[in-house]
């Protein structure tokens, strides 16, 4: 069965910048240029929460692994940590000297990595809300930063056209991937931690092996790719592009599986749920959409089995 549109959330008053599911799939968070963070209930007839506090556009949102917190980064240069309940209380990190483009929790929920137009990547402790250190070798805006699944590495993507891999302990840049022909909008780790995928304004998605630092796969599109998300099985990747489409790539076959049309205008962000049975997308059209993945269930069971035995993508495609 093809992926299908399941839910439509309307309530933001400007372009959506970011979407993320809570662990239990009961909630979906979205950030928007309207300066608001919304928490949508996936249960029918439940009200949405609108969180107001940022003084300018919300650029990024992410649930903590437990789902008890939501982090957001804004053009107002701050990071906020919210409790996703009725009250919507939040604490503020005076984070950067420019727009915060990206927030990401480590898989143990203890650390937060942020990326900014001030050209730095910063790491923080979540509970003491303490700044730990900066990574500052990028020479232009940093659009995205992510921890590896084991928390030992950080990957960052920048308008300097590089993707950089960092060792969290030594705080050294281990490698710079320079193959992008444009700004790099988004980067993330494969669930196995062995690869990264990056999306760029050169209309490509590139997948690299971080152990050998070599390019494994290269997908050429015909529009700027704004965002991407790995399926938890590690076998699929979903992308959001300026041509208003979402695309699902089959990483094992190395080919495009589906092109989905739903948004009017650029698709700005996309994310799989933690179980992979849903994905959400946001667009310049102010809409948040939730899609049923509908990948073949039998195939899916095998996928998860192979993942557990440690098979990762190889470079044969």
């Amino acid at each position: 069965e093809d992926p299908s549109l399941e839910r439509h959330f309307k309530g933001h008053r400007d372009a959506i910048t970011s979407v993320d599911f809570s662990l239990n799939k009961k909630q979906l968070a979205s950030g928007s240029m309207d300066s608001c963070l919304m928490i949508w209930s996936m249960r029918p007839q439940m009200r949405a929460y609108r969180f107001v506090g940022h003084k300018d556009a919300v650029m990024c949102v992410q649930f903590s692994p437990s789902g008890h917190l939501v982090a957001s980064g804004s053009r107002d240069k701050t990071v906020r940590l919210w409790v996703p309940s009725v009250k919507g209380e939040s604490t503020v990190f005076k984070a950067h000297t420019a727009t915060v483009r990206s927030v990401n929790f480590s898989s143990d929920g203890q650390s937060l990595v942020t990326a900014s137009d001030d050209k730095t990547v910063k790491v923080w402790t979540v509970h003491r809300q303490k700044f730990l250190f900066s990574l500052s070798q990028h020479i232009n805006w940093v659009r995205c930063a992510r921890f590896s699944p084991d928390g030992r590495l950080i990957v960052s993507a920048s308008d300097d056209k590089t993707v950089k891999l960092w060792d969290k302990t030594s705080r050294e840049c281990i490698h710079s991937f320079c193959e992008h022909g444009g700004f790099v909008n988004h980067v993330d780790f494969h669930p196995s931690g062995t690869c990264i995928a990056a999306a760029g304004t050169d209309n490509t998605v590139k997948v690299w092996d971080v152990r050998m630092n070599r390019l494994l796969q290269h997908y050429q599109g015909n529009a700027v790719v704004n965002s991407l998300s790995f399926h938890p099985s590690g076998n699929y990747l979903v992308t959001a592009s300026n041509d208003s489409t979402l695309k699902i790539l089959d990483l094992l076959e190395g080919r495009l599986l589906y092109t989905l049309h739903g948004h009017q205008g650029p698709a700005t962000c996309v994310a799989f749920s933690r179980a992979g049975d849903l994905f959400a997308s946001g667009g310049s059209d102010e809409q948040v959409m939730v899609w049923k993945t509908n990948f073949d269930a039998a195939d899916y069971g095998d996928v998860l089995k192979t993942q557990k035995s440690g098979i990762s993508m190889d470079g044969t495609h």
Side-chain angles (χ1 to χ4, degrees):
E1 252 195 301
D2 294 356
S4 60
L5 185 60
E6 158 124 323
R7 300 280 292 277
H8 233 139
F9 292 118
K10 295 177 182 161
H12 279 297
R13 296 166 188 149
D14 205 337
I16 313 298
T17 56
S18 182
V19 285
D20 191 43
F21 284 96
S22 64
L23 178 67
N24 56 16
K25 283 205 312 277
K26 287 198 174 73
Q27 293 180 313
L28 175 70
S30 58
S32 165
M33 300 300 286
D34 67 7
S35 307
C36 289
L37 172 72
M38 302 270 301
I39 307 276
W40 312 89
S41 174
M42 295 302 294
R43 288 169 303 201
Q45 279 78 55
M46 289 287 287
R47 47 169 296 202
Y49 304 131
R50 181 191 301 275
F51 293 163
V52 182
H54 280 297
K55 313 261 188 300
D56 205 336
V58 176
M59 307 307 294
C60 48
V61 296
Q62 200 195 30
F63 275 98
S64 64
S66 67
H68 297 316
L69 291 172
V70 178
S72 59
S74 167
R75 208 152 58 183
D76 68 12
K77 309 176 191 174
T78 69
V79 168
R80 278 179 184 260
L81 282 184
W82 308 80
V83 181
S85 64
V86 183
K87 280 201 187 122
E89 294 156 338
S90 68
T91 50
V92 185
F93 290 41
K94 290 277 182 280
H96 288 271
T97 58
T99 297
V100 182
R101 297 262 167 199
S102 165
V103 286
N104 176 242
F105 285 95
S106 56
S107 53
D108 63 6
Q110 300 298 310
S111 306
L112 195 67
V113 63
T114 57
S116 167
D117 289 3
D118 65 12
K119 307 176 192 170
T120 69
V121 171
K122 292 185 189 288
V123 176
W124 314 75
T125 60
V126 172
H127 298 296
R128 294 203 310 280
Q129 291 160 24
K130 199 164 137 281
F131 166 72
L132 291 176
F133 60 88
S134 276
L135 304 172
S136 42
Q137 283 185 30
H138 282 295
I139 55 172
N140 207 333
W141 295 1
V142 191
R143 297 257 171 193
C144 189
R146 294 284 186 265
F147 284 110
S148 60
D150 64 11
R152 290 197 300 224
L153 300 173
I154 291 168
V155 68
S156 58
S158 166
D159 282 9
D160 64 13
K161 303 184 181 178
T162 70
V163 169
K164 292 190 188 294
L165 196 63
W166 311 82
D167 181 301
K168 182 176 179 258
T169 311
S170 70
R171 307 173 190 182
E172 304 278 316
C173 178
I174 312 168
H175 192 77
S176 287
F177 299 95
C178 305
E179 288 95 334
H180 270 280
F183 301 157
V184 193
N185 286 329
H186 199 104
V187 68
D188 204 0
F189 276 93
H190 187 268
S192 67
T194 59
C195 321
I196 53 169
T201 59
D202 60 358
N203 307 353
T204 66
V205 171
K206 293 184 166 77
V207 181
W208 287 283
D209 183 313
V210 295
R211 297 163 301 182
M212 329 266 270
N213 297 331
R214 65 191 179 108
L215 186 64
L216 294 181
Q217 293 184 342
H218 173 272
Y219 297 90
Q220 182 66 51
N222 41 22
V224 169
V225 188
N226 293 312
S227 177
L228 55 80
S229 176
F230 278 104
H231 189 267
S233 68
N235 294 356
Y236 306 96
L237 190 65
V238 63
T239 64
S241 298
N242 267 359
D243 61 4
S244 82
T245 65
L246 307 175
K247 289 186 162 60
I248 294 177
L249 307 173
D250 182 328
L251 297 172
L252 299 180
E253 301 278 338
R255 68 189 176 96
L256 173 65
L257 268 189
Y258 302 109
T259 300
L260 305 171
H261 300 266
H263 289 283
Q264 285 131 34
T268 49
C269 51
V270 67
F272 275 111
S273 64
R274 319 258 160 150
D277 53 338
L278 300 172
F279 58 98
S281 62
S284 300
D285 56 7
E286 307 176 9
Q287 299 191 73
V288 174
M289 299 186 185
V290 176
W291 307 74
K292 263 207 160 83
T293 304
N294 288 341
F295 297 146
D296 182 357
D299 164 52
Y300 193 66
D302 296 340
V303 159
L304 292 169
K305 282 206 262 317
T306 56
Q307 167 100 28
K308 287 200 175 70
S309 65
I311 296 166
S312 70
M313 289 160 40
D314 61 30
T316 54
H317 306 304

